[in-house]
Structure formats: C-alpha cells, structure tokens
C-alpha cells in the first residue's frame, strides 16, 4: 500500500562526534586571491565556525550500512540506491518505490569553539595543511594549501528516528550501530586515504518524545548505540 505511514513516536538521538584527525569538507571558493588557501572548509555563515553537513553524515552512513548489508553482492559492487535492500530504504528513504526516510539528519555544529581558539591554529577555528604532488617524470612539485578542521574539534550530533513499527526498532538500530562502527574505521570528508577525517562517536542518548499513546522502550536502542561508542582506532 502506498502513502504516508503513521508513526508510533519519534526518538531523538544525541551524542558527540570528535575529530581524531584534521577534517576537510570543502565548499566552493568563487574568489581566490594569490596566496589564498586553495580549498576552504564549509562554515556556519553566521559564526564562521566549521560545520559538518547532515548530508555528509547521511551519505557516508548509508554507504557504510550498504557495504555491510550487500557484502558479497554482485561482483563485489554496491547496487544503485534504488536497488538497495528494503532495510536500507526504510532508514534512508527511496524513490523506487517511494519510501519515506525513518531517519532525519541535522547539521553538526562545533561545541568547543573556545577550546579550539585557545590552540592558536593558523586560522581562528581551522588549520592550514600544506601538501605536494610530485611529478614522476619531471620531479616537479605542485604545492597546494588545504584548510582543515583540527583534531580535537567536537560537534553536537543529532538524529531523529521515526518509530513506524516498534517491532523493527532493534533491527533498525542494529544496522545504525554497525554503520557507526564502520564509519569510525573509515573517514568523513576528503583525503581519507591520507589520514584526514577520522572521527569518534560518544555520549549517545536516546529520548522518546511521547507523541502518541504508544509507549516506546528506548533501552535497547540506546544500548546498541553505546556499543558503537569510542570505536575509532
């Protein structure tokens, strides 16, 4: 049956994402004067503080979960989004068939700005990383500057889960927990193979908002998320 599904409740998931290494999630730089940083990070336009877009977390977490669910799939390749397993479509949504996402992601905002300021990095909240690519034919260097959010930066993580069927709560949160574990062994943003974007999750809490007469027990959901805490190397 097609249509918008009813819900039993909404669960608010909160926690802390801490950077273990510098992270670069870039934005367009329409004007770059001589000597400027080649690639800058995305920031909150009101405060100038770096942010992690919710879309970055959603896309990365979906990919991590897809790698787990589709392990050993056709030729070792992940399917297109519309061909994902139904369990993934339920969490992240789909256009084929039209499926409303049970998860709603939020942008992550810096919560220890004063601490980062005190580190006296190259810029107010960020650092500049100098890199080189070397031509194998000419040995000529091609230097560039990348802006990074420094290690030790902490962001408030928030996620809302629609409880459409409480009987599927444990299986959904098992997948979320597995995806978070895998993400902490992977990276967020660019240049992950060079050590950028290593993250750690901690301090997860799950709160039922009590929007209907259905009482949803969040104990198992929170326990599963806590299993994924501090999983980074």
């Amino acid at each position: 049956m097609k249509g918008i599904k009813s819900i039993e409740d909404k669960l608010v998931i909160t926690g802390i994402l801490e950077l273990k290494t510098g992270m670069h999630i870039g934005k367009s730089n329409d004007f770059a004067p001589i000597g400027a940083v080649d690639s800058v990070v995305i920031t909150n336009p009101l405060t100038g503080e770096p942010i992690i877009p919710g879309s970055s977390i959603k896309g990365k977490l979906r990919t991590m979960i897809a790698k787990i669910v589709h392990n050993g799939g056709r030729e070792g390749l992940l399917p297109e989004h519309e061909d994902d397993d139904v369990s993934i479509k339920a969490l992240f949504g789909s256009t084929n068939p039209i499926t409303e996402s049970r998860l709603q992601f939020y942008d992550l905002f810096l919560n220890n700005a004063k601490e980062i300021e005190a580190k006296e990095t190259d810029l107010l909240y960020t650092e500049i990383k100098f890199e080189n690519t070397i031509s194998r034919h000419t040995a000529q260097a091609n230097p560039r500057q990348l802006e990074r959010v420094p290690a030790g930066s902490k962001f408030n993580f928030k996620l809302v889960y629609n409880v459409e069927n409480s009987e599927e709560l444990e299986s959904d949160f098992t997948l979320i927990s597995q995806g978070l574990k895998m993400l902490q062994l992977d990276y967020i943003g660019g240049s992950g193979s060079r050590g950028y974007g290593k993250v750690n999750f901690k301090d997860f809490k799950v709160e039922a908002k009590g929007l209907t007469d259905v009482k949803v027990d969040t104990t198992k959901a929170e326990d599963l998320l806590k299993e994924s805490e501090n999983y980074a190397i």
Side-chain angles (χ1 to χ4, degrees):
M1 180 183 296
K2 297 181 179 180
I4 299 175
K5 293 185 177 180
S6 61
I7 63 170
E8 298 177 8
D9 203 357
K10 282 181 175 282
L11 305 185
V12 178
I13 303 157
T14 56
I16 298 295
L17 182 154
E18 181 177 2
L19 296 185
K20 305 299 287 183
T21 63
M23 178 193 68
H24 178 84
I25 298 178
K27 67 176 180 180
S28 62
N29 194 3
D30 295 329
F31 174 70
I34 294 174
V37 175
D38 297 298
S39 184
V40 297
V41 300
I42 189 167
T43 57
N44 182 337
L46 299 180
T47 66
E49 296 173 3
I51 65 171
I52 301 176
S55 57
S56 295
I57 298 294
K58 179 180 181 180
K60 192 69 179 188
L61 187 59
R62 180 169 186 159
T63 299
M64 296 295 97
I65 292 176
K67 286 184 176 183
I68 294 168
V69 173
H70 295 294
N71 178 37
R74 180 179 60 86
E75 297 179 354
L77 301 176
L78 293 183
E80 295 293 342
H81 288 77
E82 61 266 22
D83 297 322
D84 266 339
D85 186 82
V86 64
S87 62
I88 300 174
K89 291 182 178 181
L91 288 175
F92 296 94
S94 175
T95 57
N96 183 30
I98 294 176
T99 305
E100 185 178 3
S101 171
R102 291 179 179 176
L103 294 176
Q104 289 92 54
F105 290 79
Y106 289 74
D107 290 344
L108 282 66
F109 296 98
L110 190 67
N111 81 354
N112 64 335
K114 294 296 184 183
E115 179 183 341
I116 300 303
E117 285 182 36
K119 290 185 175 183
E120 298 184 357
T121 51
D122 302 295
L123 301 174
L124 185 57
Y125 304 111
T126 57
E127 62 189 10
I128 305 301
K129 180 74 163 53
F130 289 83
E131 295 191 345
N132 268 318
T133 55
I134 309 295
S135 170
R136 290 181 174 178
H137 297 289
T138 66
Q140 183 175 359
N142 181 27
R144 60 175 181 168
Q145 304 175 58
L146 291 178
E147 184 180 19
R148 303 198 311 179
V149 185
S153 299
K154 299 176 183 178
F155 294 82
N156 293 318
F157 176 81
K158 181 163 56 175
L159 183 63
V160 171
Y161 172 84
N162 285 345
V163 185
E164 296 175 354
N165 182 353
S166 55
E167 293 183 358
E168 297 176 357
L169 190 68
E170 183 173 346
S171 59
D172 280 351
F173 273 80
T174 295
L175 279 181
I176 296 169
S177 178
Q178 290 174 333
L180 289 170
K181 289 177 181 178
M182 193 166 180
L183 194 157
Q184 291 171 89
L185 298 175
D186 209 88
Y187 60 90
I188 292 174
S191 302
S193 64
R194 295 200 293 272
Y196 288 38
K198 309 302 181 183
V199 303
N200 189 62
F201 287 97
K202 60 183 181 180
D203 299 338
F204 279 122
K205 294 181 181 178
V206 180
E207 177 190 3
K209 301 306 290 184
L211 301 176
T212 72
D213 294 334
V214 178
K215 303 299 182 183
V216 178
D217 185 358
T218 64
T219 304
K220 186 61 177 178
E222 187 167 294
D223 287 346
L224 285 166
L225 292 182
K226 286 190 174 297
E227 286 180 11
S228 71
E229 290 184 352
N230 300 313
Y231 214 76
I233 298 175

